[in-house]
Amino acid sequence: ANFESETLAAQAMVRDGADWDDAADRYHAGDRPPSGILEITIPWGRFDVNFEDKVFSTPEGEVSEPIKTDYGWWLVRIEEVIQPENKPDKAAAQPDVLDQLHRRKMQRLQKEFRDEVHNKYNVFIDDVAAAIVWEGLPEGEIMIDKATDKPIPQEELSDLVIDIADLDMVFYSYDLNGEHHSATVGDFKSRYDRMNTFERPKREQMVGGLRSSILQRQERSLMPAEARARGYFEDPEVLLKVDKKIEELMVTSLYSEVVTIDDKVDQDDFAEFW
């Protein structure tokens, strides 16, 4: 669903004895698969750890608590817990297990850090305004023109459709360096209408995807400020890692912009290479 309130309503509906499909028909906001069955297999270690923590803590046959993701709120009913028939060799599996545990620990730390920064700088997104903006996003907008195999030109993209009465509504805000920064729905529309096809949030990503794009924009201002406050701009170890990252980005940019790859290799090319 698009909002926590909807998942809580669906949860209450199911726990009061309603059929799961009836709850889904009422509250499911995403696309349905061709089969019409809203079912997913969740192997451990395959999804975001914050999603898996809620799923794997829910007993078989029970309904989870609402799960916040980058693409909306989820409510999951655990139909069946399947154990693997044969466990892999412990020694052979150990590197993968350690890697999974490290990755999951890092995901938890990153989420805690982002939540801490959002709270410190009073990051706010109005759910009502987010719903209005999401409803105004063009439906079925594509990024690549199949005929030309090129991105859709900006001048051919549809504008965000917003009622004039909603333009002055505060959409999001944050505090930084003693100043309060905010943007209205109208401010967002002005920027959206100038975005290229890759910058724009898409309706298919639901309100959660829209919120994520707004948070990313806010964090571009907040994260450097927080890094400076923590002394990272003067930390030799951090500066070394930054220089390494910039070098990697430059090499990638050089490769993508300068180096060309032949799409055909003949026998003479192969012989010369060999």
Side-chain angles (χ1 to χ4, degrees):
N2 275 318
F3 301 102
E4 183 182 22
S5 58
E6 296 170 338
T7 58
L8 287 170
Q11 181 191 62
M13 185 176 171
V14 172
R15 288 180 175 178
D16 286 343
D19 186 79
W20 180 263
D21 289 333
D22 290 339
D25 288 340
R26 183 169 179 178
Y27 292 105
H28 181 68
D31 294 333
R32 282 183 177 270
S35 65
I37 301 174
L38 298 171
E39 185 176 82
I40 184 173
T41 300
I42 305 174
W44 186 88
R46 194 74 58 84
F47 292 81
D48 180 85
V49 64
N50 303 298
F51 176 79
E52 288 190 3
D53 283 348
K54 290 285 185 68
V55 170
F56 284 96
S57 64
T58 303
E60 186 172 0
E62 298 294 324
V63 176
S64 72
E65 293 301 317
I67 308 173
K68 186 179 182 180
T69 75
D70 287 342
Y71 301 102
W73 290 82
W74 283 57
L75 192 68
V76 179
R77 183 176 65 183
I78 307 301
E79 292 286 334
E80 183 181 10
V81 178
I82 303 172
Q83 301 291 344
E85 294 183 2
N86 299 305
K87 290 184 178 180
D89 178 74
K90 185 176 182 180
Q94 184 176 9
D96 286 338
V97 173
L98 291 175
D99 182 65
Q100 286 278 10
L101 292 175
H102 178 262
R103 183 175 64 84
R104 294 166 73 83
K105 182 176 181 179
M106 291 301 297
Q107 285 181 349
R108 289 192 181 95
L109 290 173
Q110 288 167 355
K111 183 180 185 304
E112 290 173 5
F113 174 70
R114 291 183 69 192
D115 290 345
E116 181 183 341
V117 170
H118 294 170
N119 290 331
K120 178 178 178 179
Y121 295 97
N122 297 318
V123 170
F124 168 76
I125 300 177
D126 188 272
D127 280 346
V128 175
I132 290 172
V133 170
W134 180 74
E135 288 288 352
L137 295 175
E139 293 192 42
E141 184 174 80
I142 60 174
M143 293 188 290
I144 303 296
D145 188 333
K146 293 183 179 180
T148 63
D149 200 30
K150 293 182 179 180
I152 304 295
Q154 197 281 330
E155 60 271 15
E156 296 181 13
L157 297 172
S158 300
D159 290 343
L160 184 66
V161 179
I162 300 292
D163 191 293
I164 191 171
D166 297 324
L167 293 176
D168 291 332
M169 180 183 298
V170 174
F171 186 7
Y172 59 88
S173 64
Y174 60 89
D175 297 330
L176 180 62
N177 299 327
E179 296 182 3
H180 183 69
H181 301 261
S182 65
T184 65
V185 171
D187 294 331
F188 181 80
K189 172 176 167 55
S190 296
R191 190 171 70 255
Y192 177 90
D193 292 346
R194 299 192 303 270
M195 289 180 184
N196 65 44
T197 185
F198 298 110
E199 296 172 325
R200 293 173 159 221
K202 300 294 186 287
R203 189 178 176 87
E204 302 77 54
Q205 296 172 328
M206 301 174 56
V207 173
L210 173 63
R211 287 179 58 90
S212 294
S213 69
I214 297 300
L215 286 174
Q216 289 171 8
R217 182 174 182 83
Q218 291 172 310
E219 288 172 355
R220 291 192 194 108
S221 299
L222 301 180
M223 291 303 181
E226 182 63 16
R228 191 176 297 279
R230 294 182 181 222
Y232 293 160
F233 277 70
E234 293 79 33
D235 188 318
E237 185 177 350
V238 172
L239 295 176
L240 183 64
K241 291 181 178 180
V242 169
D243 287 341
K244 182 179 180 181
K245 188 66 177 179
I246 291 175
E247 184 177 303
E248 292 173 355
L249 292 171
M250 292 298 291
V251 170
T252 301
S253 178
L254 174 69
Y255 185 82
S256 62
E257 295 181 17
V258 179
V259 178
T260 59
I261 302 174
D262 291 335
D263 58 2
K264 294 182 180 179
V265 179
D266 58 30
Q267 286 299 320
D268 291 338
D269 292 330
F270 181 78
E272 181 180 354
F273 177 81
W274 186 259

